[in-house]
Amino acid sequence: MLSISNVDKRYPNGLLALAGLDLAVAEGEILAIVGGSGCGKSTLLRLISGLDTPTAGTVGLEGTPVRAPRPEIGLVFQEPRLMPWLTIDQNVAFGIRHLPVVEQKARVSETLARVGLASHVGHWPRELSGGQAQRVALARALVGRPKVLLLDEPFSALDALTRSDLQDHLLELWAYDRPTMILVTHDIEEALVLADRVVVMQPDPGRVRVEVTPPLARPRDRLDTEFLEWKYRLLGELDHASRRKTGDETFPAVAI
Amino acid sequence: MSSVDSVAVPSRGAALPPRRVGAKWLIGFILPLGLALAWETAVALKWADGRLLPTPSRVIGTLVGLARTGELTAHVLATLQRVALGFGFGVTAGTVLGAVSGYWTLARRLIDPMLQALRNIPSIAWVPMFILWFGIFETSKVILIAVGVFFPIYLSLSGAILGVDRKLVEVGRIFRFSHREMITRILLPATLPAYVISLRSGLGLGWMFVVAAEFMGAEEGLGFLLVDGQQTGRPAVILASITAFAVLGKITDWLLASVSARFLTWQDSFKAAE
Ligand SMILES: Nc1ncnc2c1ncn2[C@@H]1O[C@H](COP(=O)(O)OP(=O)(O)OP(=O)(O)O)[C@@H](O)[C@H]1O
Ligand SMILES: [Mg+2]
């Protein structure tokens, strides 16, 4: 459904952020992208969402190239980015502003209920906690029912408990429309809880190091031994990936 | 699993204790009233001579006298009209040019350097030129005030537009906002706080420049009253005029602030809780 082929991205300052990146994502798949800071994860999401265009190569959605933002693609930024001058519900309605007002209202309150914030209609963004603001941002992306949902470290600013709550919650939300989901994260556990497939990226320039499809049953148990095994295997990969070209390739991947 | 925040939130404002707004507000009166009372007593007890600095009661008496004859109204109206016209023109020009140069790079490159250079000329320095061009009457006065009002509005609006958070603009791009939507739904609200502040400082400058304008020759106006009081050696008239300026300046600023406050309730400033 989504195909990224041979994509390079060079920023105007000359920095090559992505080089020769290939990735195909199937409809309804949940893909996690992990990698160290600065390896081009956000850059990749910006290209897929159409906010930026690749320097070379193509990003295609259902056979047509993505050159500008499209209604079928939703993006949740690394920060909530709510408009401080709009109430929570008005912020969410941003995504469906072309619909008749009555329908907007219904869809907004339905979506806010889904993220557990139905009681916050009419509140201002400044009255929210970080996690609540992030959920409003999620609602804003979901309300237009995108076919592809891109999430850039949506839970990174949260404590471990709220975060695992929200991860479970995200899976419930996914079950409504089953959008294709691409989730960028620093957190291997998060990737393994949520994703069908995990892509590990490596920097300088950003590219795919390895892709794995862990055959773990759902719902996933964070303390299951098989889960932990995968967690350590991926940690090893990540460790390798972030070891810049020092020739230190003898470092063994941690295996249990 | 979905334990995520389903706790009901109390309806807004329900739990707020009743606030004693009056008390806070009155504190500001203690100092000026105290000083006025002290001076009044000092002169009454002949500790001081109130000739060069008339007592508050004499100033009020002068004001009342001017009001009785209808002179005060005429002066106030003349001054108000000049400020209103000058402010109106200054705000219009500052808003249009500020918006254009903030939003449109080419226009900014074209007009901004020139305006920045002109800005460094003290507006009063234009007075001789304005008098030559527009005569000594209303036009030159209104233009002087408009020039004074123009710059703070132009500078802060164009600066505010340039400074709008790229991150919020990107949200607009993701939802495929047209240029118009980008302006009305993001740029306008984002720049409103800075714009309101510039309106208020522009108005303050308007009141400042109306005095300068009326100094350069006028038959009426509070500035004329100042000059008249000086030339006829009546300090009470000067102070009466200054009082009138203070009251008018405060009222117009308060009007502007309270009208704009309705649009800025969302602001999360450190004063919001007060
Ligand atoms: N607008 C830009 N102009 C120039 N260079 C940029 C720009 N944005 C990002 N970069 C560079 O591109 C590289 C990849 O950045 P990117 O934001 O995609 O990283 P990331 O993987 O999302 O990192 P993090 O995990 O810290 O968010 C970094 O080296 C960064 O310095
Ligand atoms: Mg990033």
Side-chain angles (χ1 to χ4, degrees), chain A residues 53-70:
Chain A
T53 47
T55 315
T58 54
V59 174
L61 178 65
E62 290 173 325
T64 50
V66 178
R67 291 201 194 85
R70 285 213 218 166

Side-chain angles (χ1 to χ4, degrees), chain A residues 46 51 97 116 126-127, chain B residues 4-5 12 170 173 181 266:
Chain A
R46 291 177 67 86
L51 274 181
R97 64 194 190 288
R126 64 162 192 261
E127 297 168 324
Chain B
V4 195
D5 191 52
R12 321 192 65 208
E170 278 180 359
R173 287 185 55 209
E181 285 175 308
W266 54 268

Side-chain angles (χ1 to χ4, degrees), chain A residues 2-7 20-25 31-33 44 48 58 60 182 197-199 201 208 210-211:
Chain A
L2 185 73
S3 68
I4 294 146
S5 51
N6 209 13
V7 158
L21 197 113
D22 283 303
L23 203 60
V25 191
L31 178 81
I33 298 176
L44 179 58
I48 300 175
T58 54
I182 303 182
R197 186 154 57 110
V198 181
V199 169
M201 284 182 62
V208 174
V210 51
E211 290 182 31

Side-chain angles (χ1 to χ4, degrees), chain A residues 152-221:
Chain A
D152 196 350
E153 302 187 34
F155 310 135
S156 59
L158 308 176
D159 66 279
L161 211 65
T162 317
R163 185 193 300 206
S164 69
D165 259 357
L166 279 180
Q167 289 163 357
D168 295 338
H169 202 63
L170 186 65
L171 284 176
E172 287 175 18
L173 291 174
W174 175 80
Y176 279 86
D177 299 326
R178 300 192 168 249
T180 306
M181 250 171 29
I182 303 182
L183 170 96
V184 162
T185 176
H186 269 130
D187 180 355
I188 300 244
E189 187 177 293
E190 180 166 289
L192 282 172
V193 169
L194 296 174
D196 300 315
R197 186 154 57 110
V198 181
V199 169
V200 180
M201 284 182 62
Q202 86 183 60
D204 296 321
R207 67 215 123 115
V208 174
R209 175 182 171 86
V210 51
E211 290 182 31
V212 293
T213 311
L216 298 168
R218 286 179 189 273
R220 290 176 179 169
D221 176 359

